[in-house]
Amino acid sequence: MSDALQGAVDRGEMVPWFQPQYDLRTYRLVGAEVLCRWDHPEWGLVRPNDFIPLAEEIGIIDEIGQCMTEYALTAIGEWNIDISVNVSPVQLESGDFTSWLEQSLARLRYPAKRLTVEITEGRDLGDVPPLVARLDRLRNHGVGIAIDDFGAGHASLAQARRLHATELKIDRHLTGDDSPETTAQIAKAVAFARDAELRTVAEGVETTAQLHRVRQLGCTRGQGYLWSRPVPRDEMARMIATA
Ligand code: C2E
Ligand code: CA
Ligand code: CA
Ligand code: CA
């Protein structure tokens, strides 16, 4: 698989799929998350969990991340909605990604605030000062910083504070659990987010009961199978055109 993965970006096999995000007050489509798919000529569509760890290991995650971010920037230009892209902490370990993104942002004709970078890791990232400085640089350009999988693993309010996050993505395990403990956990995150003026996106919303719950708890946006699974670019374009 490692051999096949080398050069996959150059061969155009890494394709962006999109999952729409909705404003929970207006129920309008306001954004989308880019989710990478590897379209292998023989194996078909490979899901990211099956190749991202390997891509990190063999050092091509930078290439994949830049490719997906380019698709994200193009999508913002075409659709004029908010777009989020997943960034592996491995990509942030060197300054290359941030420098590259800063240069790309300089060429844009639209505000960088449409772009949000989702930090997708359980590992405690906040102890890495250069990483915080890099994220600050992006934020100063207007790029949003989301803490992905909030409430799962290491992702905490302390980390959100340290990284100067602009968004919390409530992990789908929290969205799907109506126990008093989890409800209190979401309420606490929302209260923090309100104070600090962060966006709260509930992930993995699958049922209307879950939707009503996260909405009542004060989450500002929702994303999940209830509205749509991730879809290819053309289908996303159709969804936007008919929204
Ligand atoms: P994630 O960032 O937490 O993305 C959400 C995952 O949950 C996606 O899986 C999505 O398809 C799935 N999902 C969305 N709505 C629902 C729902 O209502 N119910 C359930 N059960 N699942 C839902 P996917 O696309 O397989 O991506 C898996 C992970 O791979 C992502 O988790 C993200 O961490 C990583 N990933 C995806 N694209 C990229 C990328 O371009 N770069 C990097 N570094 N990682 C990526
Ligand atoms: Ca994500
Ligand atoms: Ca997530
Ligand atoms: Ca994840």
Side-chain angles (χ1 to χ4, degrees):
M1 192 187 241
S2 160
D3 285 346
L5 200 49
Q6 295 279 1
V9 173
D10 288 339
R11 290 189 300 272
E13 291 168 11
M14 287 297 160
V15 291
W17 280 39
F18 295 87
Q19 188 177 32
Q21 295 183 342
Y22 293 82
D23 185 303
L24 292 185
R25 269 179 308 125
T26 62
Y27 291 121
R28 281 209 142 106
L29 195 167
V30 287
E33 176 178 5
V34 177
L35 293 157
C36 186
R37 297 289 181 266
W38 178 15
D39 193 0
H40 187 273
E42 283 160 42
W43 309 330
L45 285 181
V46 187
R47 298 276 296 246
N49 289 336
D50 294 332
F51 67 83
I52 294 285
L54 182 61
E56 291 176 343
E57 200 179 303
I58 67 175
I60 65 153
I61 190 66
D62 283 22
E63 225 183 310
I64 294 174
Q66 282 188 12
C67 175
M68 287 307 122
T69 307
E70 267 167 18
Y71 281 122
L73 294 174
T74 305
I76 294 169
E78 283 177 355
W79 299 332
N80 195 30
I81 61 170
D82 295 332
I83 301 279
S84 299
V85 69
N86 292 285
V87 171
S88 148
V90 175
Q91 266 177 275
L92 294 168
E93 265 161 24
S94 86
D96 295 355
F97 175 75
T98 17
S99 303
W100 170 82
L101 182 52
E102 279 185 301
Q103 282 164 24
S104 306
L105 294 172
R107 293 195 304 265
L108 295 184
R109 293 168 292 104
Y110 49 81
K113 71 173 167 51
R114 284 265 188 230
L115 183 71
T116 292
V117 164
E118 295 190 3
I119 316 289
T120 56
E121 187 47 0
R123 193 154 55 88
D124 199 348
L125 294 162
D127 296 335
V128 195
L131 182 127
V132 176
R134 273 176 213 134
L135 293 178
D136 279 347
R137 258 161 56 201
L138 293 181
R139 221 184 19 137
N140 289 337
H141 284 277
V143 174
I145 311 291
I147 307 293
D148 206 349
D149 303 339
F150 182 83
H154 288 273
S156 64
L157 290 178
Q159 188 179 56
R161 236 181 250 119
R162 269 201 305 271
L163 298 185
H164 306 139
T166 60
E167 175 179 313
L168 302 179
K169 287 203 85 176
I170 310 294
D171 189 73
R172 69 184 164 84
H173 293 105
L174 270 63
T175 302
D177 175 10
D178 63 1
S179 72
E181 296 78 28
T182 298
T183 303
Q185 200 183 353
I186 299 177
K188 193 176 156 203
V190 168
F192 167 84
R194 275 211 183 116
D195 273 359
E197 292 178 33
L198 311 193
R199 220 185 252 161
T200 37
V201 182
E203 282 196 287
V205 179
E206 294 182 349
T207 66
T208 48
Q210 289 168 357
L211 165 62
H212 292 139
R213 188 165 143 270
V214 294
R215 188 172 184 258
Q216 235 151 31
L217 285 166
C219 292
T220 52
R221 290 188 180 188
Q223 176 183 348
Y225 295 168
L226 176 64
W227 288 279
S228 170
R229 290 182 175 255
V231 295
R233 193 162 39 165
D234 290 356
E235 219 172 309
M236 186 70 214
R238 264 197 302 279
M239 238 187 270
I240 290 165
T242 56

